[in-house]
Amino acid sequence: MSKTLFEKIIDRELPATIVYEDELCVAFRDINPGAPTHILLVPRQPMVKLSDAEPSDQALLGHLMLTAPKIAAAEGYGDAFRLVVNNGAAAGQSVFHLHLHILAGRPMKWPPG
């Protein structure tokens, strides 16, 4: 099976503006931003979508949720950000490697979809 775009970024086979990384995840700027700050937070471990997660993935998913606010704060947004996960093509997922969108820098409207 071929690597996803995000796996190639994680493996440094494709360029990206990486803003954070640790042993479990990598965060980089979206090339088609939906907000002034739009960062994608991806686990190093391949997972197609959130609904594919297993109970054994709980620590990884928790790590992602705790890492997103740290990244937003480092970008200067404190607790003023939106976190989005698109699950499946019908929900707008276009790269099939779980990723969280960290959006900030403009007023967010509700509902988002």
Side-chain angles (χ1 to χ4, degrees):
M1 185 172 213
S2 63
K3 290 182 178 181
T4 67
L5 174 71
F6 293 165
E7 287 174 287
K8 290 177 182 178
I9 290 171
I10 291 166
D11 292 342
R12 304 302 201 271
E13 295 171 15
L14 290 176
T17 304
I18 295 174
V19 299
Y20 177 88
E21 65 181 312
D22 63 27
E23 67 283 352
L24 297 176
C25 60
V26 176
F28 49 90
R29 298 198 186 282
D30 194 303
I31 61 169
N32 187 25
T37 295
H38 188 166
I39 295 170
L40 302 175
L41 177 58
V42 301
R44 290 181 185 274
Q45 170 189 320
M47 183 183 307
V48 174
K49 58 189 182 297
L50 182 60
S51 61
D52 292 337
E54 300 286 335
S56 61
D57 296 315
Q58 184 173 351
L60 173 61
L61 297 173
H63 181 76
L64 295 173
M65 295 299 288
L66 293 173
T67 300
K70 293 178 188 176
I71 294 169
E75 292 287 314
Y77 294 103
D79 62 358
F81 65 94
R82 177 170 284 169
L83 194 59
V84 175
V85 177
N86 298 320
N87 190 78
Q93 185 177 4
S94 60
V95 177
F96 292 92
H97 182 127
L98 175 67
H99 56 287
L100 286 68
H101 297 258
I102 303 169
L103 302 159
R106 66 168 171 80
M108 301 289 165
K109 300 195 185 318
W110 194 262

